[in-house]
Coordinates of all heavy atoms in Angstrom, one line a residue:
Chain A
Y300 N 0.8 -1.2 0.0 CA 0.0 0.0 0.0 C 0.8 1.3 0.0 O 0.3 2.4 0.0 CB -0.9 0.0 1.2 CG -2.0 -1.0 1.2 CD1 -2.1 -1.9 2.4 CD2 -2.8 -1.2 0.2 CE1 -3.1 -2.8 2.4 CE2 -3.9 -2.1 0.2 CZ -4.0 -3.0 1.3 OH -4.9 -3.9 1.3
G301 N 2.1 1.1 0.2 CA 3.0 2.3 0.2 C 2.9 3.0 1.6 O 3.0 4.3 1.6
F302 N 2.7 2.3 2.6 CA 2.7 2.9 4.0 C 4.0 3.2 4.5 O 5.0 2.6 4.1 CB 2.1 1.8 5.0 CG 0.6 1.5 4.8 CD1 0.1 0.5 5.5 CD2 -0.2 2.3 4.0 CE1 -1.3 0.2 5.4 CE2 -1.5 2.0 3.8 CZ -2.1 0.9 4.5
T303 N 4.1 4.2 5.3 CA 5.4 4.5 6.1 C 5.5 3.4 7.2 O 4.5 2.7 7.4 CB 5.4 5.9 6.8 OG1 4.3 5.9 7.7 CG2 5.1 7.0 5.8
A304 N 6.6 3.3 7.8 CA 6.8 2.4 8.9 C 5.8 2.6 10.0 O 5.2 1.6 10.5 CB 8.2 2.5 9.4
N305 N 5.5 3.9 10.4 CA 4.6 4.1 11.4 C 3.2 3.7 11.0 O 2.4 3.0 11.8 CB 4.6 5.6 11.7 CG 5.7 6.1 12.6 OD1 6.4 5.2 13.2 ND2 5.8 7.3 12.8
Q306 N 2.8 4.1 9.8 CA 1.4 3.7 9.3 C 1.3 2.2 9.3 O 0.2 1.7 9.6 CB 1.2 4.3 7.9 CG 1.1 5.8 7.9 CD 1.3 6.4 6.6 OE1 1.6 5.7 5.6 NE2 1.2 7.7 6.5
N307 N 2.3 1.5 8.9 CA 2.3 0.0 8.8 C 2.1 -0.6 10.2 O 1.3 -1.5 10.3 CB 3.5 -0.4 8.1 CG 3.4 -1.8 7.6 OD1 2.4 -2.1 6.9 ND2 4.4 -2.6 7.7
Q308 N 2.8 -0.1 11.2 CA 2.7 -0.6 12.5 C 1.3 -0.4 13.1 O 0.7 -1.3 13.7 CB 3.7 0.1 13.5 CG 5.1 0.0 13.1 CD 5.7 -1.3 13.9 OE1 5.0 -2.1 14.3 NE2 7.0 -1.3 13.9
V309 N 0.8 0.8 12.8 CA -0.6 1.1 13.4 C -1.6 0.2 12.7 O -2.5 -0.4 13.3 CB -0.9 2.6 13.2 CG1 -2.3 2.9 13.5 CG2 0.0 3.5 14.1
F310 N -1.5 0.1 11.4 CA -2.4 -0.7 10.6 C -2.4 -2.1 11.0 O -3.5 -2.8 11.2 CB -2.2 -0.5 9.1 CG -3.1 -1.2 8.2 CD1 -4.5 -0.9 8.2 CD2 -2.7 -2.3 7.3 CE1 -5.4 -1.6 7.4 CE2 -3.7 -3.0 6.6 CZ -5.0 -2.6 6.6
N311 N -1.2 -2.7 11.1 CA -1.1 -4.1 11.5 C -1.7 -4.4 12.9 O -2.4 -5.5 13.1 CB 0.4 -4.6 11.5 CG 0.8 -4.8 10.1 OD1 0.0 -5.2 9.2 ND2 2.1 -4.7 9.8
L312 N -1.6 -3.5 13.8 CA -2.2 -3.7 15.1 C -3.7 -3.6 15.0 O -4.4 -4.5 15.7 CB -1.7 -2.6 16.1 CG -0.4 -2.9 16.9 CD1 0.0 -1.7 17.7 CD2 -0.7 -4.1 17.8
I313 N -4.2 -2.7 14.3 CA -5.7 -2.6 14.1 C -6.2 -3.8 13.5 O -7.2 -4.4 13.9 CB -6.0 -1.3 13.3 CG1 -5.6 -0.1 14.1 CG2 -7.5 -1.3 12.9 CD1 -5.8 1.2 13.4
K314 N -5.5 -4.3 12.5 CA -5.9 -5.5 11.7 C -6.0 -6.7 12.5 O -6.8 -7.6 12.4 CB -5.0 -5.6 10.5 CG -5.6 -6.2 9.3 CD -4.7 -6.1 8.1 CE -3.3 -6.7 8.3 NZ -2.5 -6.7 7.1
S315 N -5.0 -6.8 13.5 CA -4.9 -8.0 14.3 C -5.8 -8.1 15.4 O -5.9 -9.1 16.1 CB -3.5 -8.2 14.8 OG -3.2 -7.2 15.7
C316 N -6.5 -7.0 15.7 CA -7.5 -6.9 16.9 C -8.8 -7.6 16.5 O -9.4 -7.2 15.5 CB -7.7 -5.5 17.3 SG -8.9 -5.4 18.7
S317 N -9.2 -8.6 17.3 CA -10.4 -9.3 16.9 C -11.7 -8.8 17.8 O -12.8 -9.4 17.6 CB -10.2 -10.8 17.2 OG -9.9 -11.0 18.5
L318 N -11.5 -7.8 18.6 CA -12.7 -7.3 19.4 C -13.7 -6.7 18.5 O -13.3 -6.0 17.5 CB -12.2 -6.2 20.4 CG -11.2 -6.7 21.5 CD1 -10.7 -5.5 22.3 CD2 -12.0 -7.7 22.4
A319 N -15.0 -6.9 18.8 CA -16.1 -6.3 18.0 C -16.0 -4.8 17.8 O -16.3 -4.3 16.8 CB -17.4 -6.7 18.6
E320 N -15.6 -4.1 18.9 CA -15.5 -2.6 18.9 C -14.1 -2.2 18.3 O -13.9 -1.0 18.3 CB -15.7 -2.1 20.3 CG -14.6 -2.3 21.3 CD -14.8 -3.6 22.1 OE1 -15.4 -4.5 21.5 OE2 -14.3 -3.7 23.2
G321 N -13.2 -3.1 18.0 CA -11.9 -2.8 17.5 C -10.9 -2.4 18.6 O -11.2 -2.6 19.8
I322 N -9.8 -1.8 18.2 CA -8.7 -1.5 19.2 C -8.9 0.0 19.5 O -9.2 0.8 18.7 CB -7.4 -1.8 18.6 CG1 -6.3 -1.8 19.7 CG2 -7.0 -0.9 17.4 CD1 -4.9 -2.3 19.3
S323 N -8.6 0.3 20.8 CA -8.7 1.7 21.3 C -7.3 2.4 21.0 O -6.3 1.8 20.9 CB -9.0 1.8 22.8 OG -7.9 1.2 23.5
V324 N -7.4 3.7 21.0 CA -6.2 4.6 20.9 C -5.2 4.3 22.1 O -4.0 4.2 22.0 CB -6.5 6.1 20.8 CG1 -5.2 6.9 20.9 CG2 -7.3 6.3 19.5
Q325 N -5.9 4.1 23.2 CA -5.1 3.8 24.5 C -4.3 2.5 24.3 O -3.1 2.4 24.6 CB -6.0 3.7 25.7 CG -5.3 3.7 27.0 CD -4.3 4.8 27.2 OE1 -4.6 6.0 27.0 NE2 -3.0 4.4 27.4
N326 N -4.9 1.5 23.7 CA -4.2 0.3 23.5 C -3.1 0.4 22.5 O -2.1 -0.3 22.6 CB -5.2 -0.9 23.1 CG -6.0 -1.4 24.2 OD1 -5.6 -1.2 25.4 ND2 -7.0 -2.2 24.0
L327 N -3.4 1.2 21.5 CA -2.4 1.5 20.4 C -1.1 2.1 21.1 O 0.0 1.7 20.8 CB -2.9 2.4 19.3 CG -3.9 1.7 18.3 CD1 -4.5 2.8 17.4 CD2 -3.2 0.7 17.5
R328 N -1.4 3.1 22.0 CA -0.3 3.9 22.7 C 0.5 2.8 23.5 O 1.7 2.9 23.5 CB -0.9 4.9 23.6 CG -1.5 6.1 22.8 CD -1.7 7.3 23.8 NE -0.5 7.9 24.2 CZ -0.5 8.9 25.0 NH1 -1.6 9.4 25.5 NH2 0.6 9.5 25.3
T329 N -0.2 2.0 24.2 CA 0.5 1.0 25.0 C 1.4 0.1 24.2 O 2.5 -0.2 24.6 CB -0.5 0.2 25.8 OG1 -1.4 1.1 26.5 CG2 0.2 -0.7 26.8
A330 N 0.8 -0.4 23.1 CA 1.5 -1.3 22.2 C 2.7 -0.6 21.5 O 3.7 -1.3 21.1 CB 0.6 -2.0 21.3
L331 N 2.5 0.7 21.2 CA 3.5 1.4 20.4 C 4.2 2.5 21.2 O 4.2 3.7 20.9 CB 2.8 2.0 19.2 CG 2.1 1.1 18.2 CD1 1.2 1.9 17.3 CD2 3.1 0.2 17.4
K332 N 4.7 2.0 22.3 CA 5.3 3.0 23.3 C 6.4 3.9 22.7 O 6.5 5.0 23.2 CB 6.1 2.1 24.4 CG 5.1 1.5 25.4 CD 5.9 0.9 26.5 CE 5.1 0.2 27.6 NZ 4.4 -1.0 27.0
Y333 N 7.1 3.4 21.7 CA 8.1 4.2 21.1 C 7.6 5.3 20.1 O 8.3 6.1 19.7 CB 9.1 3.3 20.3 CG 8.3 2.5 19.4 CD1 8.1 2.9 18.1 CD2 7.9 1.2 19.8 CE1 7.4 2.1 17.2 CE2 7.1 0.4 18.9 CZ 6.9 0.8 17.6 OH 6.2 0.1 16.8
M334 N 6.3 5.2 19.9 CA 5.7 6.2 18.9 C 5.0 7.2 19.7 O 4.2 6.9 20.7 CB 4.8 5.4 18.0 CG 4.7 6.0 16.6 SD 3.4 5.2 15.6 CE 4.2 3.7 15.2
S335 N 5.1 8.5 19.3 CA 4.4 9.6 20.0 C 2.9 9.6 19.6 O 2.5 9.0 18.6 CB 5.0 10.9 19.6 OG 4.7 11.2 18.3
L336 N 2.1 10.1 20.5 CA 0.7 10.2 20.2 C 0.4 11.0 19.0 O -0.5 10.6 18.2 CB -0.1 10.9 21.4 CG -1.6 10.9 21.2 CD1 -2.3 9.6 21.1 CD2 -2.2 11.6 22.5
Y337 N 1.2 12.0 18.7 CA 1.1 12.8 17.5 C 1.3 11.9 16.3 O 0.5 12.0 15.3 CB 2.2 13.9 17.5 CG 2.2 14.7 16.3 CD1 1.4 15.8 16.2 CD2 3.2 14.5 15.3 CE1 1.4 16.6 15.0 CE2 3.2 15.3 14.1 CZ 2.3 16.3 14.0 OH 2.3 17.1 12.9
D338 N 2.3 11.0 16.3 CA 2.6 10.1 15.2 C 1.5 9.1 15.0 O 1.1 8.7 13.9 CB 3.9 9.4 15.3 CG 5.1 10.4 15.0 OD1 4.8 11.3 14.3 OD2 6.2 10.1 15.5
I339 N 0.9 8.6 16.1 CA -0.2 7.6 16.1 C -1.4 8.3 15.4 O -2.0 7.7 14.5 CB -0.5 7.1 17.5 CG1 0.7 6.2 18.0 CG2 -1.8 6.3 17.4 CD1 0.5 5.7 19.4
R340 N -1.7 9.5 15.9 CA -2.9 10.2 15.4 C -2.7 10.5 13.9 O -3.7 10.4 13.1 CB -3.1 11.6 16.2 CG -3.5 11.4 17.6 CD -5.0 11.3 17.7 NE -5.6 11.2 19.0 CZ -6.7 10.6 19.3 NH1 -7.4 10.1 18.4 NH2 -7.0 10.5 20.6
N341 N -1.5 10.9 13.5 CA -1.3 11.1 12.1 C -1.5 9.9 11.3 O -2.1 10.0 10.2 CB 0.2 11.7 11.9 CG 0.3 13.2 11.9 OD1 -0.7 13.9 11.9 ND2 1.5 13.7 12.0
S342 N -1.0 8.8 11.8 CA -1.1 7.5 11.0 C -2.6 7.1 10.9 O -3.0 6.7 9.9 CB -0.3 6.4 11.8 OG 1.0 6.7 11.7
L343 N -3.3 7.3 12.1 CA -4.7 7.0 12.0 C -5.5 7.9 11.0 O -6.3 7.4 10.2 CB -5.4 7.2 13.4 CG -5.0 6.3 14.5 CD1 -5.5 6.7 15.8 CD2 -5.6 4.9 14.2
Q344 N -5.1 9.2 11.0 CA -5.8 10.1 10.0 C -5.5 9.7 8.6 O -6.4 9.6 7.7 CB -5.4 11.5 10.2 CG -6.3 12.5 9.6 CD -7.8 12.3 10.0 OE1 -8.1 12.3 11.2 NE2 -8.6 12.0 9.0
F345 N -4.3 9.3 8.3 CA -4.0 8.8 6.9 C -4.8 7.5 6.6 O -5.4 7.5 5.5 CB -2.4 8.5 6.8 CG -2.1 7.8 5.5 CD1 -1.9 8.5 4.4 CD2 -2.0 6.4 5.5 CE1 -1.5 7.8 3.2 CE2 -1.7 5.8 4.4 CZ -1.4 6.4 3.2
L346 N -4.8 6.6 7.5 CA -5.5 5.3 7.2 C -7.0 5.5 7.1 O -7.6 4.8 6.3 CB -5.2 4.3 8.4 CG -3.7 3.9 8.5 CD1 -3.4 3.2 9.8 CD2 -3.3 3.0 7.3
I347 N -7.5 6.5 7.8 CA -9.0 6.8 7.7 C -9.2 7.4 6.3 O -10.1 7.0 5.6 CB -9.4 7.8 8.8 CG1 -9.5 7.0 10.1 CG2 -10.8 8.4 8.5 CD1 -9.6 8.0 11.3
N348 N -8.4 8.4 5.9 CA -8.5 9.1 4.7 C -8.5 8.2 3.5 O -9.2 8.3 2.5 CB -7.5 10.2 4.5 CG -7.6 11.3 5.4 OD1 -8.7 11.5 6.0 ND2 -6.6 12.1 5.6
E349 N -7.6 7.1 3.6 CA -7.5 6.1 2.5 C -8.4 5.0 2.6 O -8.4 4.1 1.7 CB -6.0 5.6 2.5 CG -5.0 6.6 2.2 CD -5.1 7.2 0.8 OE1 -5.2 6.4 -0.1 OE2 -5.1 8.4 0.6
G350 N -9.3 5.0 3.6 CA -10.3 4.0 3.7 C -9.8 2.6 4.1 O -10.5 1.6 4.0
H351 N -8.7 2.6 4.8 CA -8.1 1.3 5.3 C -8.7 1.0 6.7 O -8.8 -0.2 7.1 CB -6.6 1.4 5.5 CG -5.9 1.5 4.2 ND1 -5.8 0.5 3.3 CD2 -5.2 2.5 3.6 CE1 -5.1 0.9 2.2 NE2 -4.7 2.1 2.4
I352 N -9.1 2.0 7.5 CA -9.7 1.8 8.8 C -10.9 2.7 8.9 O -11.1 3.6 8.2 CB -8.6 2.0 9.9 CG1 -8.2 3.5 9.9 CG2 -7.4 1.1 9.8 CD1 -7.5 3.9 11.2
F353 N -11.6 2.4 10.0 CA -12.8 3.3 10.3 C -13.0 3.2 11.8 O -12.7 2.3 12.5 CB -14.1 2.8 9.6 CG -14.4 1.3 9.9 CD1 -15.4 1.0 10.8 CD2 -13.8 0.3 9.1 CE1 -15.7 -0.3 11.1 CE2 -14.1 -1.0 9.4 CZ -15.1 -1.3 10.4
S354 N -13.7 4.3 12.3 CA -14.0 4.4 13.8 C -15.2 3.5 14.0 O -16.1 3.3 13.1 CB -14.2 5.8 14.2 OG -15.3 6.4 13.5
T355 N -15.3 3.0 15.2 CA -16.5 2.1 15.6 C -17.5 2.7 16.5 O -18.3 3.5 16.1 CB -15.9 0.8 16.1 OG1 -15.2 1.0 17.3 CG2 -15.0 0.1 15.0
V356 N -17.4 2.3 17.8 CA -18.4 2.8 18.8 C -18.2 4.3 19.1 O -19.1 5.0 19.6 CB -18.3 1.9 20.0 CG1 -18.9 0.6 19.8 CG2 -16.9 1.9 20.7
D357 N -16.9 4.8 19.0 CA -16.6 6.2 19.2 C -15.4 6.6 18.3 O -14.9 5.7 17.6 CB -16.4 6.5 20.7 CG -15.4 5.7 21.3 OD1 -14.3 5.4 20.6 OD2 -15.5 5.2 22.5
E358 N -14.9 7.7 18.5 CA -13.8 8.2 17.7 C -12.4 7.7 18.2 O -11.4 8.1 17.7 CB -13.7 9.7 17.7 CG -15.0 10.4 17.0 CD -15.2 9.8 15.6 OE1 -14.2 9.7 14.8 OE2 -16.4 9.4 15.3
N359 N -12.5 6.9 19.3 CA -11.2 6.4 19.8 C -11.1 4.8 19.7 O -10.2 4.2 20.3 CB -11.1 6.7 21.3 CG -10.7 8.2 21.5 OD1 -9.7 8.7 21.0 ND2 -11.6 8.9 22.2
H360 N -11.9 4.2 18.9 CA -11.8 2.8 18.6 C -11.8 2.6 17.1 O -12.7 3.2 16.4 CB -13.0 2.0 19.2 CG -12.9 1.9 20.7 ND1 -13.3 2.9 21.5 CD2 -12.4 0.8 21.5 CE1 -13.0 2.5 22.7 NE2 -12.5 1.3 22.8
F361 N -11.0 1.7 16.6 CA -10.8 1.5 15.1 C -10.7 0.1 14.7 O -10.2 -0.8 15.5 CB -9.6 2.3 14.6 CG -9.6 3.7 14.9 CD1 -9.0 4.2 16.1 CD2 -10.2 4.6 14.0 CE1 -9.1 5.6 16.3 CE2 -10.2 5.9 14.2 CZ -9.7 6.5 15.4
K362 N -11.3 -0.2 13.6 CA -11.2 -1.5 12.9 C -10.7 -1.3 11.5 O -10.8 -0.2 10.9 CB -12.5 -2.2 12.9 CG -13.1 -2.7 14.2 CD -14.3 -3.5 14.1 CE -13.9 -5.0 13.8 NZ -15.1 -5.9 14.0
A363 N -10.2 -2.4 10.9 CA -9.7 -2.4 9.6 C -10.8 -2.8 8.6 O -11.7 -3.6 9.0 CB -8.5 -3.3 9.4
T364 N -10.8 -2.2 7.4 CA -11.9 -2.6 6.4 C -11.7 -4.0 5.8 O -10.5 -4.5 5.8 CB -12.0 -1.6 5.2 OG1 -10.7 -1.4 4.8 CG2 -12.6 -0.3 5.7
Chain B
N166 N -18.7 -8.4 27.0 CA -18.5 -7.1 26.3 C -19.3 -7.1 25.0 O -18.7 -7.1 23.9 CB -17.0 -6.8 26.1 CG -16.8 -5.3 25.7 OD1 -17.7 -4.5 25.8 ND2 -15.6 -5.0 25.3
T167 N -20.6 -7.1 25.0 CA -21.4 -7.2 23.8 C -21.9 -5.8 23.4 O -22.1 -4.9 24.2 CB -22.7 -8.1 24.0 OG1 -22.7 -8.5 25.3 CG2 -22.6 -9.2 23.1
L168 N -22.0 -5.6 22.1 CA -22.4 -4.4 21.5 C -23.9 -4.3 21.4 O -24.5 -5.4 21.2 CB -21.7 -4.2 20.1 CG -20.2 -4.2 20.1 CD1 -19.8 -4.1 18.6 CD2 -19.7 -3.0 20.9
T169 N -24.4 -3.1 21.6 CA -25.9 -3.0 21.4 C -26.2 -3.0 19.8 O -25.3 -2.8 19.0 CB -26.4 -1.6 21.9 OG1 -25.8 -0.6 21.1 CG2 -26.0 -1.4 23.3
P170 N -27.4 -3.3 19.5 CA -27.8 -3.3 18.1 C -27.4 -2.0 17.4 O -27.0 -1.9 16.2 CB -29.3 -3.5 18.1 CG -29.6 -4.3 19.3 CD -28.5 -3.7 20.3
E171 N -27.6 -0.9 18.1 CA -27.3 0.4 17.5 C -25.8 0.6 17.3 O -25.4 1.2 16.2 CB -27.8 1.5 18.5 CG -27.5 3.0 18.2 CD -27.9 3.4 16.8 OE1 -28.8 2.8 16.2 OE2 -27.3 4.3 16.2
Q172 N -25.0 0.1 18.2 CA -23.6 0.2 18.0 C -23.1 -0.7 16.8 O -22.3 -0.3 16.0 CB -22.8 -0.3 19.3 CG -22.8 0.7 20.4 CD -22.2 0.2 21.6 OE1 -22.4 -1.0 22.0 NE2 -21.4 1.0 22.3
K173 N -23.8 -1.8 16.7 CA -23.5 -2.7 15.6 C -23.8 -2.1 14.3 O -23.1 -2.2 13.3 CB -24.2 -4.1 15.7 CG -23.6 -5.0 16.8 CD -24.4 -6.3 16.8 CE -23.9 -7.2 18.0 NZ -24.8 -8.3 18.2
R174 N -25.0 -1.4 14.3 CA -25.4 -0.7 13.1 C -24.5 0.4 12.7 O -24.1 0.5 11.5 CB -26.9 -0.1 13.3 CG -27.6 0.4 12.0 CD -28.7 1.4 12.4 NE -28.2 2.5 13.1 CZ -27.5 3.5 12.6 NH1 -27.2 3.5 11.4 NH2 -27.1 4.5 13.4
K175 N -24.0 1.1 13.7 CA -23.1 2.3 13.4 C -21.8 1.8 12.8 O -21.2 2.3 11.9 CB -22.8 3.0 14.7 CG -22.0 4.3 14.5 CD -21.8 5.0 15.9 CE -20.8 6.1 15.8 NZ -20.4 6.6 17.1
I176 N -21.3 0.7 13.4 CA -20.0 0.1 13.0 C -20.1 -0.3 11.5 O -19.2 -0.1 10.7 CB -19.6 -1.1 13.9 CG1 -19.2 -0.5 15.3 CG2 -18.4 -1.9 13.3 CD1 -18.9 -1.6 16.3
E177 N -21.2 -1.0 11.2 CA -21.4 -1.5 9.8 C -21.5 -0.4 8.9 O -21.0 -0.4 7.8 CB -22.7 -2.4 9.7 CG -22.9 -3.0 8.4 CD -21.8 -3.9 7.8 OE1 -20.9 -4.2 8.6 OE2 -21.8 -4.2 6.6
E178 N -22.2 0.7 9.3 CA -22.3 1.9 8.5 C -21.0 2.6 8.2 O -20.6 2.9 7.1 CB -23.2 2.9 9.2 CG -23.6 4.1 8.4 CD -24.4 5.1 9.3 OE1 -25.5 4.7 9.7 OE2 -24.0 6.3 9.4
N179 N -20.2 2.7 9.3 CA -18.8 3.2 9.1 C -17.9 2.4 8.3 O -17.1 2.8 7.5 CB -18.2 3.5 10.5 CG -18.8 4.6 11.2 OD1 -19.6 5.3 10.6 ND2 -18.5 4.7 12.5
R180 N -18.1 1.0 8.4 CA -17.3 0.1 7.6 C -17.6 0.3 6.1 O -16.6 0.3 5.3 CB -17.6 -1.4 8.0 CG -16.6 -2.4 7.4 CD -17.0 -3.8 7.9 NE -18.2 -4.2 7.2 CZ -18.2 -4.8 6.0 NH1 -17.1 -5.0 5.4 NH2 -19.4 -5.2 5.5
L181 N -18.9 0.4 5.8 CA -19.3 0.6 4.4 C -18.8 1.9 3.8 O -18.3 2.0 2.7 CB -20.8 0.5 4.2 CG -21.4 -0.9 4.5 CD1 -22.9 -0.9 4.4 CD2 -20.8 -1.9 3.5
K182 N -18.8 3.0 4.6 CA -18.3 4.3 4.2 C -16.8 4.2 3.9 O -16.3 4.8 2.9 CB -18.5 5.3 5.3 CG -19.9 5.9 5.4 CD -20.0 7.0 6.4 CE -21.5 7.4 6.7 NZ -21.5 8.2 8.0
A183 N -16.1 3.5 4.8 CA -14.6 3.3 4.6 C -14.3 2.5 3.3 O -13.4 2.9 2.6 CB -14.0 2.7 5.8
L184 N -15.1 1.5 3.1 CA -14.9 0.7 1.9 C -15.1 1.6 0.6 O -14.4 1.5 -0.4 CB -15.8 -0.5 1.8 CG -15.4 -1.7 2.7 CD1 -16.5 -2.8 2.8 CD2 -14.1 -2.3 2.3
A185 N -16.2 2.4 0.7 CA -16.4 3.3 -0.4 C -15.3 4.3 -0.6 O -14.9 4.6 -1.8 CB -17.7 4.1 -0.2
R186 N -14.7 4.8 0.4 CA -13.6 5.7 0.4 C -12.4 5.0 -0.2 O -11.7 5.6 -1.0 CB -13.3 6.2 1.8 CG -12.4 7.5 1.8 CD -12.3 8.0 3.2 NE -13.5 8.2 3.9 CZ -13.9 7.8 5.1 NH1 -13.0 7.1 5.8 NH2 -15.0 8.0 5.6
R187 N -12.2 3.8 0.2 CA -11.0 3.0 -0.4 C -11.2 2.8 -1.8 O -10.2 2.9 -2.6 CB -11.1 1.6 0.3 CG -9.9 0.7 0.0 CD -8.6 1.1 0.7 NE -7.4 0.8 0.0 CZ -6.6 1.6 -0.5 NH1 -6.8 2.9 -0.4 NH2 -5.5 1.2 -1.1
A188 N -12.4 2.5 -2.3 CA -12.7 2.2 -3.7 C -12.4 3.5 -4.5 O -11.9 3.6 -5.6 CB -14.1 1.8 -3.9
E189 N -12.9 4.7 -3.9 CA -12.7 6.0 -4.5 C -11.2 6.3 -4.7 O -10.8 6.8 -5.7 CB -13.2 7.0 -3.5 CG -13.9 8.2 -4.1 CD -14.5 9.0 -3.0 OE1 -13.8 9.8 -2.4 OE2 -15.7 8.9 -2.7
R190 N -10.4 6.0 -3.6 CA -8.9 6.3 -3.7 C -8.3 5.4 -4.8 O -7.3 5.8 -5.4 CB -8.3 5.9 -2.3 CG -8.6 7.0 -1.3 CD -7.9 8.3 -1.6 NE -8.1 9.2 -0.5 CZ -9.1 10.0 -0.3 NH1 -10.1 9.9 -1.2 NH2 -9.2 10.9 0.7
L191 N -8.8 4.2 -5.0 CA -8.2 3.3 -5.9 C -8.6 3.6 -7.4 O -8.0 3.1 -8.3 CB -8.5 1.8 -5.6 CG -7.9 1.2 -4.3 CD1 -8.4 -0.1 -4.0 CD2 -6.4 1.1 -4.5
A192 N -9.7 4.3 -7.5 CA -10.3 4.6 -8.8 C -9.4 5.5 -9.7 O -8.7 6.3 -9.1 CB -11.7 5.2 -8.7

């Protein structure tokens, strides 16, 4: 897909989550300790814009399409 | 941790919107 390393890490985590409501931003932060919240948010925004992920029960939970 | 029917409906709606956006980007 031409993802950056950050986008790829975020996408893979979202894709691997099997919860009905998807993965929370808090869980992403815990799993991606070395990544800043700014970078996580940027990656999420890119993935949303490209239609790879979507928000679920609220704006802090995401699943992959 | 079960979702309400309304939450399920919203998730499906958002999923379809994202798929449409994906298709748009690929077009």
Side-chain angles (χ1 to χ4, degrees):
Chain A
Y300 294 126
F302 291 167
T303 65
N305 281 353
Q306 290 161 358
N307 202 42
Q308 297 271 18
V309 171
F310 183 62
N311 282 333
L312 269 174
I313 294 172
K314 215 168 51 172
S315 68
C316 178
S317 57
L318 295 174
E320 71 272 28
I322 193 168
S323 67
V324 172
Q325 190 51 57
N326 281 345
L327 286 171
R328 288 190 75 178
T329 306
L331 302 168
K332 283 187 182 69
Y333 52 89
M334 212 185 285
S335 69
L336 181 58
Y337 178 83
D338 285 339
I339 291 175
R340 290 273 181 208
N341 268 349
S342 295
L343 287 172
Q344 197 52 61
F345 169 84
L346 294 167
I347 289 169
N348 290 346
E349 294 297 313
H351 292 293
I352 64 166
F353 56 96
S354 62
T355 63
V356 291
D357 55 38
E358 296 306 312
N359 285 305
H360 286 82
F361 299 93
K362 288 188 87 166
T364 46
Chain B
N166 194 11
T167 2
L168 299 175
T169 66
E171 174 56 21
Q172 285 176 317
K173 286 181 185 170
R174 190 200 59 73
K175 185 182 170 185
I176 291 172
E177 182 58 12
E178 186 184 303
N179 288 350
R180 191 179 72 85
L181 293 176
K182 280 184 193 167
L184 283 173
R186 199 174 305 128
R187 185 79 205 112
E189 216 174 84
R190 288 291 187 275
L191 290 172

